[in-house]
Amino acid sequence: MKKKILFINPLHTEVFDEDYTQQLNRYKSPETIVDLVSFKSGQGPIHLEYNCYEAMVIPELLRTVKKAEEDGYDAVIIGCFYDPAIRACREVAEKMVITAPAEAALHIATTLGENFSVIVGRQKWIPEMKENVHKYGFIHKLASFKSIDLGVHDFQKDHEETKNRIRESAIEAIEKDGADVIVLGCTAEFGFFDSLQDELGVPVIDATLSPLKYAEFLVEVKQKFSWTHSKKVGYQSPPKDEVEEFQLF
Amino acid sequence: MKKKILFINPLHTEVFDEDYTQQLNRYKSPETIVDLVSFKSGQGPIHLEYNCYEAMVIPELLRTVKKAEEDGYDAVIIGCFYDPAIRACREVAEKMVITAPAEAALHIATTLGENFSVIVGRQKWIPEMKENVHKYGFIHKLASFKSIDLGVHDFQKDHEETKNRIRESAIEAIEKDGADVIVLGCTAEFGFFDSLQDELGVPVIDATLSPLKYAEFLVEVKQKFSWTHSKKVGYQSPPKDEVEEFQLF
Amino acid sequence: MKKKILFINPLHTEVFDEDYTQQLNRYKSPETIVDLVSFKSGQGPIHLEYNCYEAMVIPELLRTVKKAEEDGYDAVIIGCFYDPAIRACREVAEKMVITAPAEAALHIATTLGENFSVIVGRQKWIPEMKENVHKYGFIHKLASFKSIDLGVHDFQKDHEETKNRIRESAIEAIEKDGADVIVLGCTAEFGFFDSLQDELGVPVIDATLSPLKYAEFLVEVKQKFSWTHSKKVGYQSPPKDEVEEFQLF
Amino acid sequence: MKKKILFINPLHTEVFDEDYTQQLNRYKSPETIVDLVSFKSGQGPIHLEYNCYEAMVIPELLRTVKKAEEDGYDAVIIGCFYDPAIRACREVAEKMVITAPAEAALHIATTLGENFSVIVGRQKWIPEMKENVHKYGFIHKLASFKSIDLGVHDFQKDHEETKNRIRESAIEAIEKDGADVIVLGCTAEFGFFDSLQDELGVPVIDATLSPLKYAEFLVEVKQKFSWTHSKKVGYQSPPKDEVEEFQLF
Amino acid sequence: MKKKILFINPLHTEVFDEDYTQQLNRYKSPETIVDLVSFKSGQGPIHLEYNCYEAMVIPELLRTVKKAEEDGYDAVIIGCFYDPAIRACREVAEKMVITAPAEAALHIATTLGENFSVIVGRQKWIPEMKENVHKYGFIHKLASFKSIDLGVHDFQKDHEETKNRIRESAIEAIEKDGADVIVLGCTAEFGFFDSLQDELGVPVIDATLSPLKYAEFLVEVKQKFSWTHSKKVGYQSPPKDEVEEFQLF
Amino acid sequence: MKKKILFINPLHTEVFDEDYTQQLNRYKSPETIVDLVSFKSGQGPIHLEYNCYEAMVIPELLRTVKKAEEDGYDAVIIGCFYDPAIRACREVAEKMVITAPAEAALHIATTLGENFSVIVGRQKWIPEMKENVHKYGFIHKLASFKSIDLGVHDFQKDHEETKNRIRESAIEAIEKDGADVIVLGCTAEFGFFDSLQDELGVPVIDATLSPLKYAEFLVEVKQKFSWTHSKKVGYQSPPKDEVEEFQLF
């Protein structure tokens, strides 16, 4: 059964479009159709390292989610490791499933190992991400956050340098902090997981690919069992007429 | 020393403006100047019961915070019990202090009593609010959430009815759940706290007035000791040139 | 890519074999081959309601896991909601992925909703299952456990009666405890999820089918990304020569 | 509206009286009258580094609280970072509000930053203080406790030495432990906060001044809204006749 | 090897002396010598239901602990379920072991069962006791606190009435809250445990006898292995000369 | 009153029998009769470092527990620091009390000190043991786990080397991690506790002797008060006829 998935890169830049598209298509399941959309260049932030940048793109994110549902997608991936507005997106979507990198990567990491460390770009990112670790329930399995002091747009600049920094942090996470799974805490840290996990001997979870597979999985259980986001309490959708009246999405 | 505080009612409606202004001015300290701003009618949601409505007003909220700083305010109150975008607002503000109803009410409630219950309008609100109780650290003092099945715009419709429902829920919270402090979990539940606390014999914390006082307090410690939001990690402000480049706020 | 999955029903009885096989085959993905094995009748417990029964079948479970790996399976499902010996099974398997009903159902439930309740057969089961909820990290999303006072072999005796009891408990879980997802806490509670979720309006997670899909998902991420159980710390496999010397599995 | 506050330095020594008085008066609000009382020299411990010393001064503390209420104070500050007998003091006071340094400093620290470290004199102090961090709800925001190996009466001996030690610990707390707020964990660590926070670039919360402002804040909400310690459960006052019969306070 | 144990009833009344002495001697081990001391009648509180009463007797408690050590006791039991000043007592005692009812009863209860409920006299007692449950680590096994609305001196007035109330609360705790062990949360609730546990079919832990046995156990491990309270950090004793100088104990 | 205790060394080797027997008899109470049983050599694992080895010996463990009850033992000690199958053993035993090293050592450690560290042989052991620390409730008092990189059968090979490694780890635990009690996390780490605790100045809890004393204590409270494992919920024993029918134990 076809699974139509939209990966929303909620940045106002196309620089990652090609790479993401290639990655997603390389690793998707045969029955999956995965599309990618990013936001218009020149009209907003090109990274979301600040929570206030993240906040500014959320309306466009929600409109994109709404449109994705109208366009017949089965799932949306919110392509940022802060998992921005995941509850809001689930409200907006009445039938689609919604997932995001941290949710996907952490569910996988805690199934595959006993303790995980997250390799992030900047220390600034940690408090918000740690809140998400708490929220998802995995704080007791968090070995550490490690910052490699690179911004979102630095990861792909000098691949060797980035890989060296991730490797060094990961080794410290494994040897000192007791991690047995490494999570790459940014969708832009792509292209490193496979060679690194060969070197390190532990799973290295990629933040772009993990939500792809988690989305396929969620669509699968929805298609087979009608298990989808509960509309009873927290993910309840707003009334249609009110949404229209407020001219939202 | 003057304390200039802006209460942002992040709703696209003026219906509460007069009441809020009156409440805030009635209870402010003499050295406080408190202004109120709400968002333009007809251009967005008039309540934030859904997380996706909340998300849609955040850009306007951030712009308003930014402007408040330029206008010389010392503090901003984000006037919704979900405490929307509190981290983003703190990033955007480089000097102002930022607070919000849940933060203020819960810090007060846990100082005044041993266990608190929050009286909310709808069960739908609870998961997001409970996340905030976790985040602020007070889950071990939460006796219960109680829904009285009223929307944001219902609280002020029939005062007797609203008060009856709050009273009934509060009594159950006190007698069955062991609460010794009641928190009103919506800024629009104003006008009830004083008569109810006389009846109930426990503090009833109002969601509009508690952040007013908490804001005055935070401005006071800033003015006296320069204690304000730390810019070292999570509340770090974005670089000015980047903000300009992205045309934000 | 083919996914060979073995569902181990760790009971010394064949009574569920046909039903499980039918269920699994009905809902599996096209590329999945799912086999079922149960333990020899007359040689051990036909249910695992007691932890000591569970303990007695674990050696046979581990031998079956070992053999499954030799037989080329990609994944094993340990077919009991206590998730018996999941760490031991992961040690024994050097390449396969291992999952189990509670792990699978709870990861799904916490992705789909905000609070879940588990409908179990007997109150006796709750402490061990609650330990697992803690272990997996989801205690903060547990609304309640509900016992319907039926043993493992009672669920399929009188379908109407069983469904009535589940329904009644689930409604209480939703209305009083705030659950928005229902988890059926026994693999033998099969056959009820779909009609019940239609009635209840919330996802009802089946304990036999959820690990099927979670296993497919884990095999998928293993096949695509080589993400599998970390062998660095807790799931490290024992040395082969020692295993032989001890004549195990 | 006048706010009469009594700072009780629960030590049997006058050595800090002048400094505390000066500090408190320098930073108080105009409408605040702040008095200081310490216990009689030569009749008990001159520091409370041991929990058993703390215990020995509590009766005198409670008598002083009782008398403060009779003398018309609006608030009492218990001037020790162990927050000694805070529940007992709240019982004894029927109308006054009671606060203490750890409560005040931690509520402020967790509002201003994401993670705090507490700089204490001796490692011996940590277990009791850590219990308080748990009790107040802030353990998830505790970056670390740091001991600078100085006793209560050492902090003011050699200001340079003390400042050097605090600075060194604070830098380690910020750089290694991720703290973005520093809390000085003893009332006798006064005189350091402002120059240190200039150097460190993060708020440094003083243990004498934070409860002054928190007390003013609590009196303010009491005067304006009658929000004060709940007498319903844990802070219930003992019956007057019984107190007399037992010849207490 | 002889074990000399002192049970300190920290109340200024002799009314329980005979009963306690009888209970303790009836159930002690042959090698145990158990003495009882209470505080002078007419000079202080005859119950500790209020935290401020508890605080007032602590100096006398510490003096009694000090003297007990001089008199050659091996252990002291602090005879109140609030476990008053347990850290302070452990500091004061340089060689003796110290225990108290809540510590003893909860360690036993959590070893014997999966979930316990505590039957207390008044709701007022619960917050302080709940703090102790947190402190000792057993909050995840707490089924409930139940108040039977009787004061310390009421339990022995009408045995039938008291027993009826305990029974009723215990049954509710077992049937509704899932408790499988009952803890009597006051030393004055003596004389009920054995008949009640026969009726209820679950262990009923007595608050006077549990610390007797726990004290014997702690003295045993001290005599055999020199395992006693660590003097390294939190239970470090104050310097002798300082104690003398301060004229304490 | 006689206390008949069986120490089950659940390993298929006799190499520790003599040492354990000697240790147990040297330190037992006069009224205790302590026997030791290990499993047949050549028929299974001689250590349980892997969870799958542990799982393989549990049936023999349960049979031994069953037989111990028939043989009139009052208590069984499960002689492995993983506390294998403790719930199952408690179900199987209808009258005996059951304890195990981690349970015993941690209850003692948290009574004697404020923070403990566990010295284990291999990092591999930590995840399972940490789960037990969580389960028993003591995670907030865990300073650290330290691995000394020795297997179960290495501890007794070179006493000096082992002692040196334990000492080094313990010193680090005390000085860096704040531990004030050391727990030896393997029954085969015997013979070191007393000299080490003299050197280190903190209690060093032995994993063989702590459950001996805890077992004596549990038998004592059972003999005196009939307090034993609750049969109401989690430790309920299976029906006799079913056990026979399944040919178990």
Side-chain angles (χ1 to χ4, degrees), chain B residues 212-249:
Chain B
L212 170 66
K213 290 296 150 186
Y214 206 62
E216 290 177 352
F217 164 62
L218 293 174
V219 174
E220 173 72 12
V221 301
K222 195 191 145 208
Q223 290 176 339
K224 285 281 165 49
F225 314 126
S226 301
W227 295 342
T228 185
H229 302 304
S230 179
K231 290 291 169 182
K232 203 73 176 190
V233 187
Y235 300 143
Q236 197 183 316
S237 296
K240 283 203 171 83
D241 52 351
E242 210 177 63
V243 170
E244 270 179 46
E245 189 194 326
F246 296 162
Q247 302 168 301
L248 302 171
F249 320 131

Side-chain angles (χ1 to χ4, degrees), chain D residues 33 74-76 93 122 126 222:
Chain D
I33 296 158
D74 297 301
V76 153
R122 307 246 187 236
I126 298 175
K222 195 191 147 208

Side-chain angles (χ1 to χ4, degrees), chain F residues 143-154:
Chain F
S144 54
F145 276 97
K146 296 281 178 191
S147 164
I148 58 171
D149 208 21
L150 290 176
V152 165
H153 289 276
D154 299 332

Side-chain angles (χ1 to χ4, degrees), chain D residues 42-47 49-53 55-60 62-63 85-89 91-92 123-128 131 135 232-239 242-243 245-249, chain E residues 42-47 49-53 55-60 62-63 85-89 91-92 123-128 131 135 232-239 242-243 245-249:
Chain D
Q43 305 199 354
I46 63 166
H47 68 81
E49 298 191 32
Y50 294 89
N51 187 244
C52 62
Y53 292 1
M56 292 304 286
V57 302
I58 289 174
E60 184 62 13
L62 294 180
R63 282 187 290 267
I86 195 166
R87 184 183 280 109
C89 291
E91 286 174 5
V92 164
Q123 210 177 341
K124 202 279 166 213
W125 309 358
I126 298 175
E128 183 170 353
E131 261 176 44
K135 190 182 73 172
K232 203 72 176 189
V233 188
Y235 301 143
Q236 197 183 317
S237 296
E242 210 178 62
V243 170
E245 188 193 326
F246 296 163
Q247 301 168 302
L248 302 170
F249 320 130
Chain E
Q43 305 200 353
I46 63 165
H47 68 81
E49 298 191 33
Y50 294 90
N51 187 245
C52 60
Y53 292 0
M56 292 305 286
V57 301
I58 289 175
E60 184 64 13
L62 294 181
R63 282 187 289 267
I86 194 166
R87 183 183 281 109
C89 292
E91 286 175 5
V92 163
Q123 208 176 343
K124 203 278 166 213
W125 309 358
I126 297 175
E128 185 170 353
E131 261 177 42
K135 191 182 73 172
K232 203 73 175 189
V233 188
Y235 301 144
Q236 197 183 316
S237 296
E242 210 178 62
V243 170
E245 189 193 325
F246 296 161
Q247 302 169 303
L248 302 171
F249 319 131

Side-chain angles (χ1 to χ4, degrees), chain A residues 23-166:
Chain A
Q23 291 274 320
L24 295 167
N25 277 287
R26 176 172 168 200
Y27 289 110
K28 74 178 186 62
S29 294
E31 76 272 24
T32 297
I33 296 158
V34 61
D35 294 319
L36 180 130
V37 64
S38 57
F39 297 166
K40 280 193 192 149
S41 289
Q43 305 199 356
I46 63 165
H47 68 81
L48 306 185
E49 299 191 31
Y50 295 89
N51 187 244
C52 60
Y53 291 1
E54 188 190 349
M56 292 304 286
V57 301
I58 289 174
E60 184 63 13
L61 172 61
L62 294 180
R63 281 187 290 266
T64 312
V65 167
K66 189 72 182 170
K67 186 164 181 310
E69 190 154 273
E70 291 162 8
D71 292 350
Y73 284 97
D74 298 300
V76 154
I77 296 162
I78 310 164
C80 169
F81 202 84
Y82 284 140
D83 292 9
I86 194 166
R87 183 183 281 109
C89 292
R90 286 173 177 169
E91 287 175 5
V92 163
E94 303 196 24
K95 292 172 298 178
M96 288 191 305
V97 288
I98 310 283
T99 190
E103 178 178 81
L106 300 185
H107 279 264
I108 294 171
T110 56
T111 302
L112 298 184
E114 306 264 19
N115 290 288
F116 63 94
S117 286
V118 186
I119 313 296
V120 298
R122 306 245 186 236
Q123 208 176 343
K124 202 281 165 211
W125 309 358
I126 297 175
E128 184 171 353
M129 290 184 181
K130 204 170 164 188
E131 260 177 44
N132 282 336
V133 177
H134 270 289
K135 191 182 72 173
Y136 293 129
F138 304 129
I139 199 75
H140 64 314
K141 301 200 171 182
L142 174 68
S144 54
F145 275 97
K146 297 281 178 192
S147 164
I148 58 171
D149 208 21
L150 289 176
V152 165
H153 288 277
D154 301 331
F155 292 122
Q156 302 296 333
K157 274 186 186 156
D158 176 344
H159 286 203
E160 264 335 283
E161 177 62 19
T162 302
K163 192 186 281 193
N164 288 342
R165 294 193 188 193
I166 298 177

